[in-house]
Amino acid sequence: MARPKNQTARREQLIRAASRAISAQGLARLKVGGVADMAGVTRGSVHYYFSDLSELLIQVHKRALERFFTNRAAIAEALDDARDQIVESVRRGIPDSADDELAVVLCEFNTAIRDDPLFSTLTQSRFDRQVTMYAAILEIGVAQGHFVLTERAVDIASNIVSLEDSYLLHIVSRNDSLSPSRALELILGYIRTATGCPEITSGRARDVAGSA
């Protein structure tokens, strides 16, 4: 039987349904039936478009990666000043709230790495790509004369990504002691110290976002 002409739209529907299901019930409890129920289709429809649950999960992770890496990397590249690049990158890497669906999905992937090599590989790949992004911004800042790094660029970048992941977990876990705005200030505070650049402030993020 030939696949319907709208197969791209149907696959996207299932990917979004799987993302919502993970956010609602957790990755460990995710089943094909749950995805089908969330999408309002039959289990057979899910199997028709994805060979197994792992293939679907890879696409869910890709969707989260587009927001937390691909999109913000593109925005950073469009800015000329490394100070704006790094502030805007951090701002867009912090969950909007505890109910931020894609942030919850990433948290689920991060906490499931001990259970499945697939999750470990996906999480490591995302970490490495984000470290590369931040290291490049830091090196641009040095070249522009804005940053004087206290450690290697890759080490500072690794700490930034680790802080983002840690605060993401606290925010989606509804830790009332750590709001998104507080997480932003804490990460930027570390970057100011690590770069010797006092202009790394949340006000730059708001200015850039307002003019984008």
Side-chain angles (χ1 to χ4, degrees):
M1 182 177 67
R3 292 184 184 275
K5 292 181 179 180
N6 66 342
Q7 60 178 297
T8 300
R10 178 53 59 88
R11 283 175 61 89
E12 178 63 20
Q13 176 191 3
L14 294 173
I15 292 167
R16 291 180 179 275
S19 178
R20 293 196 302 273
I22 293 171
S23 178
Q25 63 191 34
L27 185 57
R29 298 174 58 192
L30 185 69
K31 304 293 183 183
V32 171
V35 175
D37 291 343
M38 188 70 72
V41 300
T42 65
R43 290 170 56 96
S45 294
V46 180
H47 288 298
Y48 185 67
Y49 289 97
F50 297 95
S51 59
D52 54 29
L53 197 56
S54 292
E55 182 187 357
L56 178 54
L57 289 175
I58 289 173
Q59 294 305 312
V60 172
H61 185 269
K62 180 180 178 181
R63 179 169 175 253
L65 189 66
E66 286 176 355
R67 172 181 164 191
F68 284 99
F69 173 74
T70 307
N71 292 347
R72 65 173 171 156
I75 289 170
E77 289 177 2
L79 301 171
D80 295 326
D81 194 311
R83 294 168 296 182
D84 292 332
Q85 290 179 347
I86 204 161
V87 172
E88 188 65 7
S89 294
V90 173
R91 189 180 73 83
R92 292 175 180 270
I94 295 173
D96 296 328
S97 69
D99 298 316
D100 187 322
E101 179 186 305
L102 290 180
V104 175
V105 168
L106 280 186
C107 183
E108 287 291 323
F109 274 102
N110 286 348
T111 56
I113 59 176
R114 291 173 59 90
D115 300 325
D116 192 318
L118 170 65
F119 305 145
S120 178
T121 299
L122 292 175
T123 299
Q124 179 179 339
S125 174
R126 181 176 59 84
F127 179 86
D128 290 343
R129 293 174 72 177
Q130 290 182 118
V131 168
T132 299
M133 177 190 74
Y134 275 118
I137 294 173
L138 291 165
E139 289 167 355
I140 291 171
V142 172
Q144 291 178 342
H146 300 311
F147 300 163
V148 178
L149 305 184
T150 59
E151 305 289 344
R152 295 188 308 159
V154 68
D155 294 339
I156 296 172
S158 296
N159 282 332
I160 295 171
V161 178
S162 295
L163 285 171
E164 285 184 347
D165 285 348
S166 175
Y167 292 150
L168 181 148
L169 173 61
H170 283 286
I171 291 169
V172 302
S173 298
R174 304 185 187 280
N175 182 343
D176 292 336
S177 297
L178 190 71
S179 65
S181 60
R182 176 62 173 156
L184 174 62
E185 294 295 346
L186 289 171
I187 297 175
L188 295 184
Y190 165 72
I191 296 174
R192 283 195 297 273
T193 300
T195 62
C197 182
E199 293 89 12
I200 302 298
T201 67
S202 58
R204 296 190 78 96
R206 285 194 294 268
D207 292 342
V208 171
S211 61

